[in-house]
Amino acid sequence: MTAATYQYVDLPDAQVVTTRALLTARENITDTVAARAMMCIHGNAGFGKTLAVNTCLRELEDARGEEVCRVTFRARPTARAVRYELFTALGLPGEAPRHPSEFDRLLKTALAERPRTFLVDEAQWLNGEAFEYFRYLWDEPSTQLAIVFVGGAGCHTVLRREPMLSSRVFIWQQFARLTPQEVQDVIPLFHPVWAEAAPEDIVFADQHAAHGNFRAWAQLTAHIRTALARTGRPKVDEELLRWAFSRLA
């Protein structure tokens, strides 16, 4: 996948790299969609959750024609707000119903038409009421629904507090930092500026700035590109790294 799809910064020539977490997510998402089940992918910010999930779901869209509806929450939504987000994501015609019972019938009818997968991003913003509404729709026998919740650690915490929903989660996956070995394996593939970098410079960059966090690696890479362009140097060195670190402090 090319840089145009990379989500953190505008980073030409960046590539999506196949980490162990992404491979595991691909398998878990494929199994969840096949089972029309629910799963939760959680972990701290910058570990590549959303990118990995979107990559895997795009593969299912392209290879199998899976219909994926993406919804994202930036504040704690009520069940009413969830209804409106789903109405919009499904592209339903006309005006949204005003009465909850009518709204619920409309959504359940739409979700029974054909199989769909919902990606619910930033799920750490969901409260018990919102999670319960997703469970309510998923439990409806006529709906053909798979749901992938993606969020920070708070997502896992809130889900675990909701036993009715938690007991229905098919797969849990936690994203963590890249290990030092993974950094050495995947960062040279992530962007050309690291392809010719000395292994000790990659270790230095990870220990002092990136710390196994993909978002931090993307930010650092953007600054290194700038430094290389301005200095005309052929590759990364410690001086350029220290200059980039100063921008991240």
Side-chain angles (χ1 to χ4, degrees):
M1 190 168 298
T2 62
T5 61
Y6 201 78
Q7 64 169 330
Y8 301 138
V9 291
D10 183 10
L11 194 56
D13 301 320
Q15 299 291 321
V16 174
V17 290
T18 305
T19 62
R20 285 182 294 179
L22 188 146
L23 288 173
T24 301
R26 178 181 291 150
E27 181 179 282
N28 289 341
I29 290 170
T30 299
D31 291 346
T32 297
V33 170
R36 293 294 143 194
M38 291 188 285
M39 72 172 291
C40 175
I41 290 182
H42 60 98
N44 290 337
F47 288 175
K49 304 179 299 297
T50 297
L51 179 64
V53 171
N54 274 306
T55 299
C56 297
L57 288 175
R58 197 172 294 116
E59 291 171 356
L60 288 178
E61 288 177 299
D62 293 341
R64 304 186 185 184
E66 180 69 23
E67 183 175 343
V68 179
C69 299
R70 294 167 171 83
V71 293
T72 302
F73 297 97
R74 301 296 182 184
R76 300 200 177 277
T78 62
R80 176 181 174 83
V82 173
R83 289 185 181 97
Y84 276 95
E85 286 290 338
L86 298 184
F87 180 87
T88 301
L90 289 167
L92 298 179
E95 295 185 2
R98 295 188 177 186
H99 299 291
S101 59
E102 183 184 356
F103 214 151
D104 292 346
R105 283 196 299 272
L106 175 66
L107 291 175
K108 287 191 286 187
T109 298
L111 292 171
E113 291 174 350
R114 56 187 178 274
R116 288 184 177 91
T117 294
F118 271 96
L119 166 57
V120 184
D121 202 6
E122 302 294 347
Q124 70 272 11
W125 290 108
L126 297 181
N127 54 24
E129 178 187 12
F131 275 125
E132 175 61 23
Y133 191 72
F134 279 106
R135 184 199 66 79
Y136 165 75
L137 293 176
W138 183 83
D139 269 354
E140 172 62 34
S142 64
T143 61
Q144 304 176 66
L145 189 59
I147 304 175
V148 181
F149 294 110
V150 182
C155 167
H156 176 268
T157 301
V158 174
L159 268 172
R160 285 298 192 187
R161 288 188 191 137
E162 302 294 327
M164 291 280 288
L165 182 61
S166 177
S167 64
R168 289 164 169 78
V169 174
F170 187 53
I171 295 174
W172 301 84
Q173 181 181 347
Q174 182 176 10
F175 268 59
R177 297 180 187 278
L178 296 173
T179 66
Q181 185 58 57
E182 284 182 298
V183 168
Q184 289 290 340
D185 291 341
V186 305
I187 294 304
L189 304 175
F190 167 59
H191 195 278
V193 303
W194 305 111
E196 301 299 325
E200 57 268 26
D201 285 332
I202 293 177
V203 170
F204 184 73
D206 194 54
Q207 290 178 340
H208 288 81
H211 309 296
N213 184 302
F214 246 123
R215 186 171 302 171
W217 270 109
Q219 293 168 342
L220 178 62
T221 303
H223 293 306
I224 289 296
R225 286 185 74 252
T226 299
L228 289 171
R230 288 180 181 174
T231 63
R233 296 185 186 184
K235 64 178 183 178
V236 175
D237 58 39
E238 186 172 322
E239 184 178 359
L240 292 186
L241 286 171
R242 290 188 182 278
W243 175 84
F245 298 165
S246 72
R247 288 189 151 196
L248 300 171

